[in-house]
């Protein structure tokens, strides 16, 4: 087992306290947005001696990944585990399919763009489906409503912009009508003015105050987004999307092509090992409307909630409909904390302590684990047993 040091990301939307407290470190006044545990080459975790996890894995692929995982995922660890702490809303974004990512990554390489170039959109050739498990109450937007339901949300707001969107959805209550409405908000040649967005926000506030909203929660989300991103058309796009609220322990899967924005809360994210993000708005970063419109799915779909399945008396698993990852939560309690309990799972794994103090044991040795600490378990280490009192998350390959 290899102790991991996370790679920290200090994005402006992060919390100054949540991740430092989780990791047992002092806050430094900066926003701590994400802690990455994995081997993505753009931001790999490190092991003892400061070595990068991706480089350590490459030294002995069969031992670290196992033959099957190495063959299936081109000798790379296929998943990435993160702790995310959103104090402010994240960008409105979508992730590409594997095929589109591979084509676009190759094209940008051929154009001679450096990986850190501001002109670059694709950081790797992989898709990025992801699953979020809430550690606190977590709010988000994810996926398009049906055109008829979105028309109901827009109806009566009485602004020029919402009337135009409403007419598009009423005239063509299909995915084509929804694409036209979304294009109106994000296309460079069509995007509305800040004043038009402000009028929509004020209409939503007035409707909510009057108690006349068909969706009070989405009107609150519009006001929240406008507070942080005044004049951004992505604020209005929220009216087309499904609002989501997750309680601690609840999970949501975000497939490639699903438009989404995380708004507030702390959670675990497990995803394919990729950093390909196409932004449609709600951000000072690069917005690539053309790429978003190529990749986004406007087909109406409710948020894909993932119910945990009991694996054994101590562990539940969250299964995503992809081959790259799954995540299990183990809780060790009882009157005999010193008794080792078998933990389901094989192959390469990343284990992250959530609370308490535990001991992990494989055929290769033992390791103490506390909240905020993580280890990489090579495939060759075999089955895992754990003792103590506390909880940990385990990301692995299905």
């Amino acid at each position: 087992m290899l102790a991991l040091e996370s790679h920290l990301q200090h994005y402006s939307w992060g919390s100054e306290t949540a991740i430092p407290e989780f990791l047992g470190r002092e806050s430094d006044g900066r926003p701590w947005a994400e802690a990455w545990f994995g081997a993505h080459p753009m931001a790999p975790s490190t092991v003892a001696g400061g070595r990068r996890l991706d480089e350590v894995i490459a030294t002995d692929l069969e031992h670290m990944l196992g033959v099957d995982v190495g063959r299936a995922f081109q000798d790379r660890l296929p998943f990435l585990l993160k702790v995310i702490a959103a104090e402010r809303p994240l960008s409105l974004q979508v992730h590409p399919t594997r095929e589109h990512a591979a084509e676009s990554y190759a094209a940008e390489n051929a154009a001679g763009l450096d990986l850190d170039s501001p002109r670059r959109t694709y950081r790797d050739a992989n898709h990025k489906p992801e699953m979020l498990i809430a550690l606190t109450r977590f709010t988000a937007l994810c996926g398009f409503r049906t055109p008829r339901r979105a028309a109901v949300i827009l109806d009566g707001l009485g602004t020029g912009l919402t009337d135009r969107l409403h007419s598009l959805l009423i005239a063509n209550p299909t995915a084509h009508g929804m694409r036209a409405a979304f294009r109106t908000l994000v296309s460079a040649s069509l995007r509305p003015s800040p004043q038009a967005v402000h009028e929509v926000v004020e209409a939503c506030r007035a409707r909510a105050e009057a108690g006349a909203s068909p969706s009070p929660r989405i009107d609150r989300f519009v006001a929240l987004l406008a507070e942080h991103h005044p004049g951004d058309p992505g604020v209005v796009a929220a009216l087309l999307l499904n609002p989501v609220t997750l309680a601690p322990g609840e999970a949501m899967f975000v497939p490639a092509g699903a438009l989404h924005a995380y708004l507030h809360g702390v959670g675990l994210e497990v995803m394919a090992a990729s950093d390909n993000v196409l932004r449609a708005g709600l951000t000072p970063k690069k917005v690539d409307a053309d790429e978003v419109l190529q990749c986004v799915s406007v087909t109406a779909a409710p948020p894909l909630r993932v119910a945990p399945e009991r694996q054994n008396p101590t562990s539940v698993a969250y299964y995503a409909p992809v081959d790259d990852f799954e995540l299990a939560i183990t809780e060790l309690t009882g009157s005999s904390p010193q008794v080792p309990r078998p933990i389901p799972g094989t192959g390469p794994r990343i284990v992250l302590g959530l609370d308490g103090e535990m001991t992990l044991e494989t055929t290769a040795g033992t390791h103490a684990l506390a909240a905020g600490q993580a280890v990489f378990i090579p495939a060759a280490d075999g089955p895992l047993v754990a003792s103590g009192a506390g909880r940990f998350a385990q990301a692995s390959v299905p």
Side-chain angles (χ1 to χ4, degrees):
M1 283 179 278
L2 301 173
L4 296 181
E5 184 72 21
S6 65
H7 192 110
L8 298 171
Q9 304 285 17
H10 296 283
Y11 305 137
S12 61
W13 47 263
S15 166
E16 294 183 7
T17 58
I19 289 179
E21 289 175 359
F22 178 80
L23 297 177
R25 296 171 60 173
E26 290 292 326
S27 175
D28 57 10
R30 292 184 295 171
W32 296 41
E34 295 175 344
W36 291 29
F37 299 91
H40 191 283
M42 293 293 291
S45 299
T46 54
V47 302
R51 295 176 298 162
R52 294 163 49 121
L53 179 59
D54 57 333
E55 294 175 349
V56 172
I57 289 174
T59 63
D60 192 345
L61 292 169
E62 184 173 341
H63 179 90
M64 295 291 175
L65 299 182
V67 173
D68 292 342
V69 170
R71 182 186 301 119
F73 297 99
Q74 293 75 54
D75 293 333
R76 292 189 296 268
L77 185 68
F79 58 83
L80 175 62
L81 181 64
K82 298 180 183 179
V83 179
I84 177 173
E87 187 66 24
R88 301 172 54 187
L90 280 67
S91 60
L92 188 64
Q93 61 187 253
V94 70
H95 305 305
T97 63
R98 182 182 282 114
E99 295 76 17
H100 189 88
E103 292 172 4
S104 301
Y105 180 71
E108 292 185 346
N109 284 346
L113 296 180
D114 293 335
L115 281 177
D116 58 356
S117 169
R119 295 172 53 206
R120 184 147 199 145
T121 299
Y122 291 86
R123 308 294 176 181
D124 52 66
N126 203 11
H127 66 166
K128 191 174 177 283
E130 60 193 34
M131 182 166 57
L132 185 136
I133 299 91
L135 295 178
T136 67
R137 183 179 182 273
F138 202 99
T139 53
L141 297 164
C142 188
F144 285 90
R145 297 178 184 266
T146 65
R148 295 188 187 279
R149 179 58 182 164
V152 170
I153 301 297
L154 294 164
D155 191 28
L157 285 171
T159 75
L161 178 55
T162 52
D163 286 349
R164 185 169 14 137
L165 298 174
H166 182 266
S167 66
L168 287 169
L169 297 175
I170 291 297
N172 192 356
T174 68
H176 298 291
M178 184 62 80
R179 184 175 292 276
F182 182 57
R183 184 184 296 275
T184 298
L185 297 174
V186 300
S187 173
S189 61
L190 298 174
R191 58 188 284 126
S193 68
Q195 178 58 34
V197 173
H198 177 71
E199 291 171 359
V200 176
V201 174
E202 290 305 306
C204 288
R205 283 199 179 106
R207 179 171 68 177
E209 290 172 0
S213 176
S215 178
R217 183 165 47 154
I218 203 64
D219 283 349
R220 290 196 301 271
F221 285 0
V222 165
L224 172 67
L225 294 173
E227 177 184 341
H228 295 290
H229 301 282
D232 192 308
V235 173
V236 182
L239 296 168
L240 307 177
L241 303 176
N242 297 297
V244 182
T245 301
L246 301 175
E250 293 183 334
M252 176 178 70
F253 176 70
V254 181
L259 189 68
H260 63 287
Y262 297 149
L263 304 184
H264 189 270
V266 180
L268 292 174
E269 275 191 294
V270 60
M271 62 195 65
S274 173
D275 195 31
N276 287 326
V277 179
L278 308 174
R279 297 177 180 88
L282 306 178
T283 178
K285 296 182 179 180
K286 177 184 176 183
V287 171
D288 194 335
D290 290 340
E291 277 296 301
V292 168
L293 288 166
Q294 282 196 58
C295 294
V296 71
S297 171
V298 296
T299 301
L304 297 174
R305 293 175 177 265
V306 181
E309 296 185 29
R310 176 64 58 183
Q311 293 180 297
N312 66 16
T314 62
S315 302
V316 297
Y318 298 81
Y319 297 112
V322 292
D323 295 331
D324 307 72
F325 59 81
E326 66 185 32
L327 188 130
I329 303 290
T330 293
E331 183 171 8
L332 301 176
T333 60
S335 57
S336 302
Q338 72 280 4
V339 177
R341 312 289 180 86
I343 307 301
T346 59
R349 287 151 284 170
I350 291 178
V351 174
L352 173 64
L354 301 180
D355 54 53
E357 296 182 354
M358 296 146 288
T359 299
L360 308 180
E361 182 178 354
T362 69
T363 57
T366 62
H367 190 93
L369 187 75
Q373 298 176 350
V375 296
F376 174 76
I377 302 178
D381 281 12
L384 172 67
V385 297
S387 57
R391 292 185 306 148
F392 60 82
Q394 176 181 267
S396 60
V397 183

